[in-house]
Amino acid sequence: MPIDDAKPLRADAARNRARIMAAAEQVFSERGPAASTEEVANRAGVAIGTVFRHFPTKADLLRAIMKDLLARLVSDVDDLRRGSEPGDALFAFFTNLVAHSARQKTVIDLLAAAGSELNVPDAVGTLERSVGGLLRAAQQAGTVRRDVGLAEVMALLVAVCQGAVQAGWPADLQTRTLAVVFAGLAPR
Amino acid sequence: MPIDDAKPLRADAARNRARIMAAAEQVFSERGPAASTEEVANRAGVAIGTVFRHFPTKADLLRAIMKDLLARLVSDVDDLRRGSEPGDALFAFFTNLVAHSARQKTVIDLLAAAGSELNVPDAVGTLERSVGGLLRAAQQAGTVRRDVGLAEVMALLVAVCQGAVQAGWPADLQTRTLAVVFAGLAPR
Amino acid sequence: MPIDDAKPLRADAARNRARIMAAAEQVFSERGPAASTEEVANRAGVAIGTVFRHFPTKADLLRAIMKDLLARLVSDVDDLRRGSEPGDALFAFFTNLVAHSARQKTVIDLLAAAGSELNVPDAVGTLERSVGGLLRAAQQAGTVRRDVGLAEVMALLVAVCQGAVQAGWPADLQTRTLAVVFAGLAPR
Amino acid sequence: MPIDDAKPLRADAARNRARIMAAAEQVFSERGPAASTEEVANRAGVAIGTVFRHFPTKADLLRAIMKDLLARLVSDVDDLRRGSEPGDALFAFFTNLVAHSARQKTVIDLLAAAGSELNVPDAVGTLERSVGGLLRAAQQAGTVRRDVGLAEVMALLVAVCQGAVQAGWPADLQTRTLAVVFAGLAPR
DNA sequence: AATGAATGAGAATTCATTCAT
DNA sequence: AATGAATGAATTCTCATTCAT
C-alpha cells in the first residue's frame, strides 16, 4: 500500500529525485530558502531542467523537503514511545530535536513558517498529534504538569529549535536552555 | 554628544534618513528581508538613489535598523528598571518584548541572525548587558533561580520572540507559553 | 501506390502517427504554433519520444499537418466540381472554406505562412491548380469576370479565411464580407 | 494638452523609450511576436533592464506598439479626408494601408489579434470610427454601395492587409486583389 | 518501436547598485 | 543632496531535442 506517491518512478528517476531532495536539504540549510535552484541542481549533479521536472516549482521543492523531514520527525516520535519510559519520551524527543536541528535548519524554518507561505497542513498536523501523544503520556506518568497544553508545548518546541538553529547554540547552551523549559513543564 | 555619526547632517538629509529607516522597518517587517530596496524608497517617499546615498548597501540599511531597534530595547530595559519592582522587571521586559515583537519582526529576525550574517556586535552586547542587569536584580530579589545564566535567558528571549513573531501566536498562546518559561525560571 | 511515404509502417506505428497528427491539429489550432510538443504528445496519448520518432522536428510536424490539410482541401474541390454547377463551384468552395476555417486555424495560418517559414511547395501548388480549375469553369460559365486571375483569387481566399479565423467573424459577418468579394468577382 | 502620457519623461528616458519602440517594431515585424525582448534591447542599444523599466511586461510593449501604430493610421485617415475627394478617400486609405503593411506586419498582426490576446479596445475603436467616416463619405459621394456595412469593410481591410503582409504579395498582386474588392464595393 | 527522464539553451522578469541629470 | 534612469547579473521556469531503459 503506497502511502505517498501515486506513480512508481523509474529507477533512475527515483535516484535523481532522492539526490535532488538531499541536495536541496543541504543547500537550503546552508543558504536559507533564498538559495538558487541552480545550486541545488549542481549539488545534486543533475541539470536544472531535471529539478523542475520533479518539482515544477521552487515552492513545491520546499514543500516536499518539509513533508519528508516532518515525516522523519513523526517516526522518531514513534520510536521514542516504544523505547523509553512514557514520562521521559517527551523530554527525549525535545532534546533530540533541538540537538539535531542544526542539521535541519530547513525543517525548523519551514515548521516555523508553516502557517504562512507554504502549506503542508497534514504533515504538521500529524506531528502535532504525535507530540500530543507524548504529552499525554508524560502527564499520566506525572512528569509534566496537567495544566500545560499541547499548543504551548509545540510553540516552545519550535521556538527553541529555531533559536538553536539560527543562532547556532553550542551544546551546553542547548542543555541549559532546555533545563529551564523542562523545569517549567515539571509539576510544582 | 553624538556617539555614532561623524558628520552632522543637513536638516533635510536627517529627515530623509529617518523616513527611510521608518519605511525600511515597516517594509522588511511585512515582506521579510528579501523585500526590495525600491519599495523602501517608495514607502519613504524618496528616490532610490537617496536610499543608497544614506546606506551604501542594503546590508548597511538592515544593520542600521537593527542597531536602532536594539537601542530602543535597551532604553526600554532602563525604563523598566526604574519603574518596577526589581523582581518583576525581567518578567515584564520579557512579556513586553514578546507582545511587541509582532510589530518588530525585523528586530527579532535580525537578533536571531545576529551571529551569522550581519554584524552588530556592540549593540547586541549592550542589550545583553542590560538584560544581565535585570537578571541579577531578579535573582537578588529571589524571583529567579540563582543557577540560571544570562546566556540561556537571552536564548529563550530570542527563541520565544521569534516563535511568537513568525508563527503569529495569538495573545493567549503567548501567555501560556511564557507561563511555562517563567515557571522554569522561578526558584524550586 | 504510396506517393509520399517510403516505408510502410507497422500497424501500431501507423495508428500512432495518425493520432499524433490529429492531436497536433487540435492543439495548434487552439494554442497556436507556439504550443508545446509535449501537449501534443499528451493529447495523442503517446510519449514525447514517439512524437519525435515520427517527426524529427517540430517543423516537420507542422509541415505534415499542413500537407494533410491541403490534401483534404484539394479533395473537397474535386468533390465540388463533380457535385455542383460549374458556375457555382468556386463560390461554394470559397464559402465552405471560410466557414470551416474556424476549425482549421492551422491550415489557414500555415497557408498564409506558406511562403515564409515552412516549405510545402507541391501541396500548395496542387491546391492552386485545383482552384484554378474552379476559376476557369466559373469564367466559362460566365459567373466570374474573365479578367480576374488565379493569383488574386488565391490571395483573397487566404486573406478572407485568415481574417475569419483570427478575428473570429460571426456567420453573418462572413456572409456579408463574402458578398462584397463575390460582387467584385462577378461580371460587370 | 498631453493626450497619452501622464508623466513627462526625462529627456534621456524619452529618447530610450522611443528607441525601444522603434526597435521593437522592427524586431517583431521581422521575427513575429515570439521574438525575444533581449533582441529588442540589443537593437535599441540599451540593456535589457531598460526595456522592462519602460514596459513592465512583454505584452505591455506589444500593446504600446499597437497603440502607436493605430494612432498613426487614424491620423493618416484624417489627412486623407482633408486631401482627397470624399468618394476616393476610402479607396486611397485602403490602398495605402495595404501597400505599407509590409512595413507594418506588426500592426496588422496585432489588429487581427485585437479581440483575442492583447486588449487595446479604444485604439481599435477609434480607427473603426475613422474608417466609418470615410465609408459614409464615399457612400454619400456614390462611390460605394449603400448596403455595405462598416463591419465588412473593416473585415476586408484587415484580411487583405494581413494577406498582403504575411504572404508578401508583390505590388501588382496587391493592385489586382484590391481591384476585385473595390469592384465589389462599387454600386451596381 | 515506445517510453519518459535528462539535458541545457533560452526567455521573461527582478533587483542591488551606479551614474548622468 | 536628491532624483530616477540605466545597467546587467541572477533567478525561475519552459521546451525542443536526445538518449538510456
Side-chain angles (χ1 to χ4, degrees):
Chain A
M1 52 189 116
I3 297 180
D4 261 329
D5 283 329
K7 330 150 193 178
L9 292 176
R10 246 165 58 177
D12 54 348
R15 194 164 46 248
N16 275 341
R17 196 190 145 94
R19 270 191 199 162
I20 291 168
M21 288 207 38
E25 214 180 305
Q26 271 185 39
V27 169
F28 292 131
S29 287
E30 289 170 23
R31 299 247 205 293
S36 87
T37 311
E38 185 91 41
E39 183 163 356
V40 172
N42 290 342
R43 190 88 61 108
V46 302
I48 181 72
T50 303
V51 176
F52 278 94
R53 161 171 272 263
H54 284 281
F55 307 95
T57 277
K58 193 184 179 179
D60 288 330
L61 177 53
L62 285 166
R63 253 191 295 276
I65 295 177
M66 179 159 165
K67 242 185 157 167
D68 190 59
L69 292 174
L70 283 171
R72 273 189 249 159
L73 290 184
V74 169
S75 101
D76 285 359
V77 171
D78 293 345
D79 291 353
L80 279 173
R81 293 197 73 171
R82 273 184 226 101
S84 2
E85 292 299 307
D88 300 339
L90 178 64
F91 297 130
F93 175 68
F94 216 126
T95 306
N96 252 325
L97 185 53
V98 171
H100 290 95
S101 48
R103 298 249 169 112
Q104 300 178 332
K105 187 178 188 313
T106 320
V107 215
I108 305 306
D109 281 354
L110 294 176
L111 253 181
S116 47
E117 322 205 358
L118 303 171
N119 260 349
V120 199
D122 27 301
V124 174
T126 305
L127 178 63
E128 193 155 350
R129 255 171 278 124
S130 290
V131 174
L134 295 183
L135 174 61
R136 269 191 307 280
Q139 288 175 325
Q140 278 165 12
T143 55
V144 166
R145 278 197 340 246
R146 303 254 159 185
D147 62 344
V148 167
L150 176 55
E152 53 260 40
V153 171
M154 287 299 293
L156 281 164
L157 197 58
V158 169
V160 172
C161 283
Q162 199 166 16
V165 162
Q166 299 211 340
W169 298 348
D172 64 319
L173 181 54
Q174 289 177 26
T175 309
R176 294 212 311 271
T177 306
L178 284 177
V180 174
V181 173
F182 293 168
L185 293 172
R188 224 53 27 218
Chain B
M1 54 188 116
I3 297 179
D4 264 330
D5 283 329
K7 331 147 194 181
L9 295 174
R10 257 167 49 175
D12 55 346
R15 195 164 47 246
N16 276 343
R17 196 190 146 94
R19 270 192 199 162
I20 291 169
M21 289 206 36
E25 212 180 308
Q26 271 185 40
V27 170
F28 292 131
S29 288
E30 289 170 23
R31 300 249 204 291
S36 85
T37 313
E38 187 88 39
E39 183 164 355
V40 172
N42 290 342
R43 193 88 62 107
V46 302
I48 182 71
T50 305
V51 175
F52 277 90
R53 164 168 279 266
H54 284 282
F55 307 93
T57 275
K58 193 184 182 180
D60 289 329
L61 175 55
L62 284 166
R63 254 192 294 277
I65 295 176
M66 179 161 163
K67 246 184 158 166
D68 188 58
L69 290 173
L70 284 171
R72 273 188 251 161
L73 290 183
V74 169
S75 102
D76 285 358
V77 172
D78 292 346
D79 290 353
L80 277 173
R81 292 197 73 172
R82 272 184 227 102
S84 0
E85 292 298 307
D88 300 338
L90 178 63
F91 297 131
F93 176 68
F94 214 126
T95 306
N96 252 327
L97 185 54
V98 171
H100 290 94
S101 47
R103 298 247 170 112
Q104 300 180 333
K105 190 178 187 314
T106 320
V107 216
I108 304 308
D109 282 353
L110 294 177
L111 252 180
S116 47
E117 322 204 358
L118 304 171
N119 262 348
V120 199
D122 28 302
V124 175
T126 306
L127 177 64
E128 194 156 348
R129 254 170 278 123
S130 289
V131 174
L134 295 184
L135 174 60
R136 269 191 308 280
Q139 289 175 323
Q140 278 164 12
T143 54
V144 166
R145 280 199 336 250
R146 302 256 161 185
D147 62 345
V148 167
L150 176 55
E152 54 260 39
V153 171
M154 288 298 293
L156 282 163
L157 197 59
V158 169
V160 173
C161 283
Q162 198 166 16
V165 162
Q166 299 211 341
W169 297 349
D172 63 319
L173 182 53
Q174 290 177 26
T175 309
R176 294 212 308 271
T177 306
L178 284 178
V180 174
V181 173
F182 293 168
L185 293 172
R188 225 50 28 213
Chain C
M1 55 190 111
I3 297 179
D4 264 329
D5 284 328
K7 332 149 192 178
L9 293 175
R10 257 166 50 176
D12 55 346
R15 196 164 46 248
N16 276 343
R17 196 189 146 94
R19 270 191 199 164
I20 291 167
M21 289 204 36
E25 212 180 308
Q26 271 185 40
V27 169
F28 292 132
S29 288
E30 289 170 23
R31 300 248 205 293
S36 85
T37 313
E38 187 88 40
E39 184 165 354
V40 172
N42 289 342
R43 193 88 62 108
V46 302
I48 181 72
T50 304
V51 175
F52 277 89
R53 164 168 279 267
H54 285 281
F55 307 93
T57 276
K58 194 183 180 180
D60 289 328
L61 176 54
L62 285 166
R63 252 190 297 275
I65 295 175
M66 180 161 164
K67 246 184 156 164
D68 189 57
L69 291 173
L70 284 170
R72 273 189 252 160
L73 290 184
V74 169
S75 101
D76 285 358
V77 172
D78 293 345
D79 291 352
L80 278 173
R81 292 196 73 171
R82 273 183 227 103
S84 2
E85 293 299 306
D88 300 338
L90 177 64
F91 297 130
F93 176 68
F94 215 125
T95 306
N96 252 325
L97 185 54
V98 171
H100 290 94
S101 49
R103 297 249 170 111
Q104 299 179 333
K105 188 178 188 312
T106 319
V107 216
I108 304 307
D109 282 353
L110 294 177
L111 252 182
S116 47
E117 322 202 358
L118 303 172
N119 262 348
V120 200
D122 29 302
V124 174
T126 305
L127 178 64
E128 194 156 349
R129 255 170 278 124
S130 290
V131 175
L134 296 184
L135 175 60
R136 268 190 310 279
Q139 288 174 324
Q140 279 165 12
T143 54
V144 166
R145 279 198 338 248
R146 302 255 162 186
D147 62 344
V148 167
L150 176 54
E152 53 261 40
V153 170
M154 287 299 292
L156 282 164
L157 197 59
V158 169
V160 173
C161 283
Q162 198 166 16
V165 163
Q166 298 210 343
W169 297 350
D172 64 319
L173 182 54
Q174 290 177 26
T175 309
R176 295 212 310 272
T177 306
L178 284 177
V180 174
V181 173
F182 293 168
L185 292 172
R188 226 51 30 220
Chain D
M1 54 190 113
I3 297 180
D4 260 331
D5 283 329
K7 330 148 193 181
L9 292 176
R10 246 166 55 177
D12 53 349
R15 194 164 46 246
N16 275 340
R17 196 191 146 94
R19 270 192 200 162
I20 291 168
M21 287 205 38
E25 215 181 304
Q26 271 185 40
V27 169
F28 291 131
S29 286
E30 289 171 25
R31 300 248 204 293
S36 87
T37 312
E38 185 89 39
E39 182 163 358
V40 172
N42 290 342
R43 193 89 61 108
V46 302
I48 181 72
T50 302
V51 176
F52 278 93
R53 162 171 272 263
H54 285 282
F55 306 94
T57 278
K58 192 184 180 178
D60 288 330
L61 177 54
L62 284 166
R63 254 190 295 276
I65 294 176
M66 179 160 165
K67 244 186 156 164
D68 190 57
L69 291 174
L70 284 171
R72 273 189 250 160
L73 291 184
V74 169
S75 102
D76 285 359
V77 172
D78 292 344
D79 290 353
L80 278 173
R81 293 197 73 171
R82 273 184 226 102
S84 2
E85 294 298 308
D88 300 338
L90 178 64
F91 298 130
F93 176 68
F94 216 125
T95 306
N96 251 326
L97 185 53
V98 172
H100 289 94
S101 48
R103 297 250 170 110
Q104 299 178 333
K105 186 179 190 312
T106 320
V107 215
I108 304 307
D109 282 353
L110 294 177
L111 252 181
S116 48
E117 321 206 358
L118 303 173
N119 262 349
V120 200
D122 27 301
V124 175
T126 305
L127 178 63
E128 194 155 348
R129 253 170 281 123
S130 291
V131 175
L134 295 184
L135 174 60
R136 268 190 310 278
Q139 289 175 322
Q140 279 164 12
T143 54
V144 166
R145 279 199 337 249
R146 301 254 162 185
D147 62 343
V148 167
L150 176 56
E152 53 261 38
V153 171
M154 288 299 293
L156 282 163
L157 197 59
V158 169
V160 173
C161 283
Q162 199 166 14
V165 162
Q166 298 211 342
W169 298 349
D172 64 319
L173 180 53
Q174 290 176 26
T175 309
R176 295 211 310 272
T177 306
L178 284 176
V180 174
V181 173
F182 292 168
L185 292 172
R188 216 75 10 230

